[in-house]
Amino acid sequence: MEINISVSAPVVSVKPVVLSAPGRGEDLQVRVSAPAVGSELPIIVFSHGFGWSLDGYGPLADYWAAHGFVVIQPTHLDSRTLNLAPEDPRTPRIWRFRVEDLKRILDQLDLIEASVPGLSGRLDRSRIAAAGHSWGGQTVSMLLGARVLDNNGEPGEDMSDSRIKAGVLLATTGKGGADLSPFAAEHFPFMNPSFAEMSTPTLVVAGDHDQSRLSTRGPDWFTDPYFLSPGRKSLLTLFGAEHSLGGISGYSVAETTDESPERVGLIQRLTLAYLRNALDLEDSSWPAARAALEESVIPLGRIESK
């Protein structure tokens, strides 16, 4: 499938940029990747999946940065690099710390900008997107308007952020309640979202072979953020994809069960086209990308929108 994409630029990547985080127990470390040239650069804040860190997801971060975005990746408290003990008092609240990590990045863009040589004055703060994979997807969904339901089924705190103009949710878990496995219900009570208020424009990416031990349902569980939310949404369903979506979390990752460079390449191109459209950078690449996917002789997936 051919999708016309702008020529890639050299990328500058700086890590760690350290942000003060009182009450978190650890300062927040982030990685910043940016094109070496260009101005008025839009921003993507990326939330990693469970156990990962600012060093993960190179196939996405590198690609987005090479095509005009400043990509900011935090290391959340669940990262294996921090080795937080299960009995740590912060553990039950990690899902909240994750959301706060992303908000802290938005609050400290001045420091982040000043910490990367040559980046000063080049950010477009009116065009900010958030993206996340797996648990990172749930984290990002909170900024887009999703809420966690309490034990009575009532929506909890609104943690949405109007600075986020668009989202990309990659292999993001669906409804909780009866749809959770007994293991997930016991260990992850926060995994009980309501998408009823998630109105920010979003691309949901799901694999049709993504079978999770966290749910009693099949791969359709990962499409809930699309079907159960209002507003402008698109759903990219990837044929044959499992939870790693072909290997987006790294270039050589042992936990990838469905390795497919072609699938990763498709995600790179389609997410870029979607974000450029959703952030009003241009309006032609996303319709062209959709048409190219539909016209593929052997399509790797399908797109639907509402």
Side-chain angles (χ1 to χ4, degrees):
M1 187 190 78
E2 293 296 328
I3 301 174
N4 290 327
I5 295 294
S6 60
V7 177
S8 62
V11 171
V12 174
S13 186
V14 174
K15 68 164 189 178
V17 176
V18 180
L19 308 181
S20 176
R24 187 176 183 266
E26 305 272 352
D27 285 336
L28 177 61
Q29 297 192 14
V30 304
R31 180 186 190 122
V32 184
S33 301
V37 298
S39 60
E40 297 183 345
L41 302 173
I43 301 165
I44 300 173
V45 180
F46 186 86
S47 180
H48 63 71
F50 176 76
W52 278 92
S53 72
L54 55 76
D55 287 318
Y57 298 90
L60 295 181
D62 294 348
Y63 186 85
W64 290 334
H67 290 87
F69 282 83
V70 174
V71 184
I72 307 174
Q73 300 172 260
T75 291
H76 296 302
L77 286 176
D78 58 278
S79 173
R80 289 185 290 267
T81 64
L82 298 179
N83 198 28
L84 205 68
E87 62 273 14
D88 189 289
R90 293 169 291 177
T91 297
R93 296 182 294 131
I94 281 181
W95 70 273
R96 296 185 65 93
F97 281 114
R98 279 175 147 266
V99 179
E100 292 167 4
D101 288 347
L102 302 188
K103 287 178 175 284
R104 183 168 282 111
I105 287 170
L106 300 180
D107 292 341
Q108 299 194 41
L109 283 176
D110 285 345
L111 173 60
I112 291 171
E113 184 176 354
S115 300
V116 179
L119 189 59
S120 181
R122 298 171 59 211
L123 298 183
D124 183 349
R125 303 187 188 201
S126 70
R127 290 187 168 97
I128 304 177
H133 175 241
S134 193
W135 196 3
Q138 182 179 4
T139 303
V140 167
S141 76
M142 304 292 289
L143 296 185
L144 304 176
R147 299 194 193 184
V148 172
L149 300 175
D150 64 19
N151 293 333
N152 298 317
E154 296 297 323
E157 180 184 353
D158 178 6
M159 303 178 75
S160 62
D161 196 306
S162 62
R163 291 172 291 186
I164 302 296
K165 306 303 183 185
V168 175
L169 302 181
L170 300 146
T172 298
T173 55
K175 287 194 306 179
D179 290 348
L180 292 181
S181 67
F183 174 85
E186 177 183 356
H187 293 91
F188 308 118
F190 58 84
M191 196 175 288
N192 192 21
S194 167
F195 300 106
E197 303 297 327
M198 197 181 80
S199 57
T200 306
T202 302
L203 172 63
V204 177
V205 182
D208 69 359
H209 280 51
D210 190 355
Q211 181 61 59
S212 176
R213 65 190 283 252
L214 301 178
S215 177
T216 58
R217 286 167 54 193
D220 69 303
W221 188 47
F222 293 94
T223 67
D224 282 357
Y226 172 77
F227 287 109
L228 302 181
S229 64
R232 291 192 296 135
K233 300 292 188 299
S234 290
L235 171 64
L236 168 60
T237 302
L238 296 167
F239 302 151
E242 299 177 12
H243 200 59
S244 296
L245 302 177
I248 62 171
S249 53
Y251 294 106
S252 300
V253 178
E255 68 189 46
T256 299
T257 56
D258 61 337
E259 184 174 0
S260 171
E262 295 81 12
R263 188 177 296 131
V264 172
L266 179 69
I267 294 170
Q268 290 172 329
R269 297 188 297 274
L270 286 175
T271 54
L272 179 69
Y274 176 83
L275 289 173
R276 288 189 58 81
N277 179 271
L279 296 176
D280 294 323
L281 291 162
E282 51 86 22
D283 57 10
S284 62
S285 61
W286 177 238
R290 294 188 58 177
L293 182 61
E294 292 172 1
E295 295 166 2
S296 298
V297 176
I298 305 177
L300 297 176
R302 68 174 180 272
I303 296 173
E304 53 196 289
S305 297
K306 61 180 183 178

